[in-house]
Amino acid sequence: MSIRKKVAVVGATGIAGQQFLTALANHPWFEVVRFAGSPRSAGKRYEDALRAPNGQIGWWQPEPIPEKFRNMMIESAPELNLDGIDIVFTAIDSDAAKELEPLYAKKVPVISTASAFRMEDDVPLLIPGVNTSHSSMIRAQQKKRGWKGFIVPIPNCTTYGMACTLAPLQKAFGLKTVIMTSMQATSGAGRNGGVLALDMLDNLVPYIPKEEEKVQIETQKILGALKDDRFVPAPFAVSCTCTRVPVTDGHTETVFIATERPATVEAAIAAFKEYKPDFGDLPSAPKNFFTVHDDPFHPQPRIDRDQDGGMSTHIGRIREEKALGGLKYVLLSHNTKAGAAKGALLVAENLCVTGYI
């Protein structure tokens, strides 16, 4: 891309915002020119906004704070100056997103990690390489709402890996039923002053509020059809149980599917290996959309999650599912990379090359 896009990050001091800054620090297409945050952070240097009263700097990424961002000033999110901004990336909670994202979308494209608008009937829930054609709904959204920009959220990080792996199987065999159990990393819950660590040590938490409902309806939207400017959910049933486990990063999921047409293990492996989206030169795209393991002891989060910059979805233990009449397998996706900031960057990159940004 010959001209770099000027971007703003809203919620820059939070965990998701920090993930954006790490991913954007050396991005060849996007240049961060503005930060926005809560009234508590507004008017402060970025590094000062991270500093707690006890002196601790609340930067929670394994990489150091990029030098170029330390002295940038944080604006108040509701008064964010959008002059000269090409894209706004939001890393805020759903309640704040409901208020702020439409303000920004009146003028510029908004790529969001929040759930606030995911199920709106004119908002595409995009995974490039899976449902890229849903991008056309952006024009209908702009017309309906009278916006120059638009809102495009990314899916829930648990939805991401499953929707990716179901796409080639849906195409090859058709799907009747999907049953999934997740073993989700603690990083997906953010930070909670040490309480979360005490909850998770030597433990497994069998319930994540609202997660199962999100996965079910988001999967059907992503893998559904777009007809006459409306989304038609995929007809297959989705049921899941979402749990939290003492793993730092990387969501592991066991998936059981009933297929419409007979499916062999060999045919499923071929479907995964032949599914190669053409990402061209998108900077955040994985070299391998899927990494298929023949070692039954993989995928493992600690060993496999960071391959391909955390953007590859790993699949292993593909087996025949006799009880349902279909297949079963284990998947792993990186919840704070592919399922968060880097996934959002990939969406933005794709919308740039397809002319929506």
Side-chain angles (χ1 to χ4, degrees), residues 10-328:
V10 180
T13 59
I15 298 294
Q18 293 177 19
Q19 293 162 1
F20 268 114
L21 298 192
T22 299
L24 285 164
N26 298 302
H27 197 282
W29 293 8
F30 303 146
E31 179 185 359
V32 180
V33 297
R34 293 199 184 103
F35 291 158
S38 67
R40 178 173 49 84
S41 300
K44 297 181 181 179
R45 292 171 57 251
Y46 184 71
E47 187 169 351
D48 291 340
L50 295 175
R51 194 180 300 274
N54 65 2
Q56 180 184 26
I57 296 177
W59 175 264
W60 309 116
Q61 305 309 302
E63 304 87 351
I65 304 172
E67 287 296 326
K68 66 177 76 174
F69 298 146
R70 290 179 182 270
N71 292 315
M72 286 182 63
M73 300 299 294
I74 300 178
E75 299 182 25
S76 172
E79 287 83 40
L80 174 64
N81 179 7
L82 297 174
D83 292 345
I85 296 296
D86 298 301
I87 307 168
V88 174
F89 291 108
T90 59
I92 52 182
D93 64 35
S94 183
D95 288 340
K98 288 178 182 178
E99 176 185 350
L100 295 172
E101 290 179 355
L103 294 179
Y104 307 145
K106 290 178 181 179
K107 295 183 178 181
V108 299
V110 177
I111 310 300
S112 172
T113 61
S115 63
F117 291 91
R118 285 178 188 158
M119 298 313 298
E120 293 285 316
D121 60 10
D122 61 348
V123 175
L125 189 55
L126 294 179
I127 301 177
V130 172
N131 65 336
T132 309
S133 63
H134 288 191
S135 301
S136 63
M137 181 59 85
I138 289 171
R139 299 305 184 211
Q141 180 190 139
Q142 290 173 315
K143 181 178 179 181
K144 175 183 175 181
R145 299 181 186 241
W147 291 345
K148 292 182 179 179
F150 53 80
I151 297 172
V152 169
I154 64 169
N156 178 282
C157 54
T158 311
T159 303
Y160 176 85
M162 187 169 77
C164 287
T165 60
L166 291 177
L169 301 180
Q170 181 186 37
K171 181 179 179 181
F173 313 113
L175 301 176
K176 292 193 294 185
T177 303
V178 177
I179 299 173
M180 181 271 283
T181 297
S182 69
M183 292 151 279
Q184 297 178 215
T186 56
S187 57
R191 298 185 69 89
N192 194 4
V195 176
L196 181 62
L198 292 176
D199 290 341
M200 292 308 306
L201 187 64
D202 189 32
N203 203 18
L204 180 152
V205 177
Y207 176 59
I208 302 173
K210 299 181 181 180
E211 193 84 348
E212 293 160 3
E213 296 84 355
K214 290 178 184 177
V215 173
Q216 291 162 13
I217 60 176
E218 289 180 19
T219 300
Q220 290 171 321
K221 182 173 184 177
I222 292 166
L223 296 178
L226 181 57
K227 296 180 180 178
D228 300 323
D229 287 340
R230 67 184 185 92
F231 294 106
V232 180
F236 57 82
V238 180
S239 178
C240 57
T241 298
C242 295
T243 74
R244 189 79 67 191
V245 297
V247 170
T248 305
D249 292 309
H251 287 353
T252 303
E253 302 172 20
T254 58
V255 184
F256 300 75
I257 63 172
T259 57
E260 293 180 341
R261 298 179 293 278
T264 65
V265 171
E266 293 74 19
I269 292 172
F272 286 129
K273 290 186 174 181
E274 292 168 6
Y275 194 88
K276 297 180 179 180
D278 181 9
F279 289 121
D281 62 350
L282 301 187
S284 300
K287 179 180 178 181
N288 298 299
F289 192 67
F290 294 126
T291 299
V292 180
H293 297 269
D294 57 10
D295 181 342
F297 288 89
H298 287 264
Q300 295 182 26
R302 190 173 65 187
I303 297 172
D304 298 314
R305 63 193 171 204
D306 289 315
Q307 288 185 29
D308 246 345
M311 293 297 285
S312 183
T313 298
H314 295 258
I315 306 164
R317 300 208 65 212
I318 304 170
R319 293 154 289 154
E320 180 183 355
E321 170 47 52
K322 295 181 179 180
L324 293 176
L327 298 161
K328 55 188 174 184

